[in-house]
Amino acid sequence: MKIVKTAYEVRNIVNEWRKKGLSVGFVPTMGYLHEGHQSLIEKAVKENDRVVVSVFVNPMQFGENEDFDSYPRDIDRDSEICEKAGCSVIFNPDISEMYGEYFSSFVNMNTLPQRLCGKSRPIHFKGVCTVVTKLFNIVCPDRAYFGQKDAQQLAIIKRMVSDLNFNINIIGCPIVREEDGLAKSSRNTYLNAEERKAAVVLSRSLKIGKSLMENGEKSAEKIISAVKEEINKEKLAKIDYIEIVDMNRLQPVNEINCQVLVAIAVYIGKTRLIDNFIM
Ligand code: AMP
């Protein structure tokens, strides 16, 4: 497995693969990899001849008061995980490689980025769309793998790829969880022992919502209030949002009569965590 720092090197390697008729899978990440990322890489390895993983903490998708500086980084550990999972190349660019001095082009989208997480992270998805577009143009994969953990991101990338005619198959992958139900996340490392225990309230409250729906509850308001009640029992938790939205437009629904995304964002202490399920 190779670790490369420049777009030029990635392009050369992928061109050589293409000449041999090999298919290419791609997994974009911000590093500090865990079993969630690993599941994406392993799926990509199964479905493609070669796999590129990018490890880049993208400053453009962090707001001014967010955790860009403190975001955990460990490229040595990431390399070990990637190598074991069967990745062929890690693309680990510096910021200057991705954003030159005169950088001024952005990819943005109406509507979807303003919903859910976009309300408290207004510039986030512009940064995501821009960096993913750049990465797609650098790697030119056949397939790219994204986790349902970031369900809004997955919906936005699928829309962008369809709207802008990228010739790339976007593959969504299920959420990987800790034994107690907490969705794996690089940001879980911010939690102290007490917060870590409290964080289980995200998946626990969603389970309550899910079982209500499974038992035929159709009122979004009733499901939301049951989820809310459970989260409010946890002293360290502060709700950012609880929403039930349709899968295509991410518009809130009143009655559940189509495929919906039930998504929550909750602060546990200072750490903002997200979780969801689709039904
Ligand atoms: P990140 O490094 O947080 O930007 O995540 C990179 C990719 O891994 C994204 O497509 C995420 O949705 C996905 N991912 C992160 N955590 C998980 C998880 N617990 N289960 C499945 N996929 C995940």
Side-chain angles (χ1 to χ4, degrees), residues 192-215:
N192 65 30
E194 198 190 350
E195 290 168 342
R196 172 63 187 79
K197 268 193 206 154
V200 186
V201 77
L202 279 90
S203 57
R204 194 170 63 233
S205 65
L206 284 177
K207 247 190 211 161
I208 291 172
K210 194 172 182 184
S211 92
L212 276 176
M213 284 166 81
E214 280 164 352
N215 287 313

Side-chain angles (χ1 to χ4, degrees), residues 69-121:
D69 290 328
S70 55
Y71 198 86
R73 295 158 167 93
D74 188 343
I75 189 67
D76 294 336
R77 198 173 142 272
D78 291 345
S79 315
E80 275 176 34
I81 292 171
C82 283
E83 181 136 42
K84 268 196 201 137
C87 157
S88 310
V89 168
I90 296 181
F91 178 41
N92 178 221
D94 292 332
I95 294 175
S96 58
E97 174 69 11
M98 293 299 277
Y99 303 115
E101 198 181 347
Y102 303 110
F103 187 90
S104 48
S105 306
F106 301 89
V107 180
N108 210 352
M109 188 185 292
N110 285 336
T111 335
L112 295 189
Q114 278 111 52
R115 311 227 184 275
L116 303 172
C117 289
K119 289 177 194 157
S120 53
R121 307 189 74 190

